[in-house]
Amino acid sequence: MNNSITDIFFDLDHTLWDFDKNSGLTFEYIFKKNALNVSLETFLKHYEPINLKYWKLYREEQIDKESLRFQRLNETFNAINVKVEPELIYKLSEDYIKYLTTHNHIFEGTIELLDYLKPKYRLHIITNGFEEVQQHKLEKSKIDHYFETVTNSEMVGVKKPNPLMFNFALDLAKTTKENSIMIGDNYEADILGALNMGLDAICFNYHKVSIDSSIKQVNHLLELKAFF
């Protein structure tokens, strides 16, 4: 590794914060709260890829936040042939955001890794997630104190992989791309986004997808210790 690294930028969802687990628990709660009789397992099986599709559209500025929140639910209910009125979908989308951070599971090894890195590097978050939610995730999972800065896409007006997002984060952290590295799960947004603007990157291959062998990658967070 480049021994001039002083600053490490982490993605949050699917990298440190266990989004799929916390999301599933939230849906379980809000379905009961709204008396919606749906198989959670069936719903999540369809929802997870649909959600990723809409996040890609959101990253590419093809839809806005409100459309993302409504359409991902609407399409999932259609896919599992469950009739849900638009009013209830809007209510569920609001409840989902409201209650998502009542569950705050982080990936195995997160605390050990951050404890290992914190004395030697300045740590930061750079996320495409919604501003009102991401800070709560950090605080309620008790990892906010590890990070010097938090950059979210709503602060910048663009989203990863847009280079403006990374440059904003670097400026906020008062560092340079030569002295920094990005760690994230999303190959397109985190890894290619960083590499394409000259920022080194390591993929946390949480999704266990096949990626270019030239890309630095790990399957477990604690494997990152070998790089630092």
Side-chain angles (χ1 to χ4, degrees):
M1 279 295 295
N2 178 356
N3 60 11
S4 67
I5 294 295
T6 57
D7 293 78
I8 303 174
F9 291 82
F10 283 93
D11 178 45
L12 183 56
D13 295 332
H14 301 290
T15 300
L16 300 175
W17 200 81
D18 192 342
F19 182 89
D20 288 341
K21 184 171 186 176
N22 296 320
S23 179
L25 290 167
T26 304
F27 278 120
E28 183 178 28
Y29 175 76
I30 67 173
F31 286 170
K32 289 178 181 176
K33 178 177 181 289
N34 289 280
L36 186 61
N37 187 19
V38 175
S39 164
L40 182 66
E41 182 179 0
T42 301
F43 174 86
L44 292 175
K45 180 181 177 182
H46 288 81
Y47 172 81
E48 288 172 2
I50 289 171
N51 184 46
L52 290 175
K53 179 183 78 171
Y54 277 100
W55 269 101
K56 179 176 172 59
L57 293 172
Y58 181 65
R59 284 199 308 271
E60 295 171 350
E61 313 289 348
Q62 295 186 48
I63 58 172
D64 60 16
K65 180 165 65 173
E66 287 69 27
S67 297
L68 163 67
R69 290 176 172 178
F70 179 86
Q71 294 296 344
R72 63 185 177 182
L73 293 179
N74 188 55
E75 185 170 322
T76 303
F77 288 128
N78 287 337
I80 63 175
N81 297 311
V82 174
K83 176 66 174 174
V84 181
E85 295 299 324
E87 293 78 9
L88 181 53
I89 294 179
Y90 282 115
K91 176 68 163 54
L92 289 168
S93 71
E94 290 172 2
D95 280 353
Y96 178 78
I97 298 300
K98 180 178 179 179
Y99 293 105
L100 182 60
T101 56
T102 60
H103 305 284
N104 288 284
H105 295 277
I106 52 179
F107 280 107
E108 182 182 1
T110 295
I111 299 299
E112 183 178 339
L113 175 66
L114 295 176
D115 280 341
Y116 171 80
L117 295 174
K118 180 67 173 173
K120 299 185 284 184
Y121 302 92
R122 298 196 312 150
L123 309 181
H124 312 273
I125 293 289
I126 178 170
T127 171
N128 282 350
F130 305 133
E131 185 170 7
E132 71 269 27
V133 178
Q134 299 304 79
Q135 191 60 39
H136 288 159
K137 290 176 182 176
L138 289 166
E139 292 169 1
K140 292 186 177 182
S141 57
K142 296 180 171 57
I143 59 172
D144 58 307
H145 63 283
Y146 289 101
F147 302 101
E148 305 280 332
T149 68
V150 177
T151 299
N152 67 71
S153 57
E154 291 183 306
M155 295 165 60
V156 188
V158 298
K159 306 166 190 72
K160 296 175 292 182
N162 191 312
L164 293 175
M165 184 76 168
F166 296 98
N167 282 321
F168 184 100
L170 291 167
D171 289 344
L172 186 64
K174 295 181 173 59
T175 188
T176 65
K177 60 187 178 183
E178 291 79 14
N179 297 119
S180 305
I181 192 165
M182 176 72 201
I183 298 171
D185 70 291
N186 189 287
Y187 184 65
E188 179 184 273
D190 298 318
I191 307 308
L192 292 184
L195 293 174
N196 286 342
M197 58 84 63
L199 175 63
D200 201 2
I202 303 173
C203 181
F204 172 43
N205 201 348
Y206 161 70
H207 309 284
K208 294 182 171 57
V209 296
S210 178
I211 63 174
D212 191 319
S213 61
S214 67
I215 302 292
K216 293 188 280 289
Q217 61 179 294
V218 297
N219 294 316
H220 190 285
L221 286 179
L222 291 181
E223 294 173 17
L224 288 165
K225 292 168 76 172
F227 290 92
F228 301 101

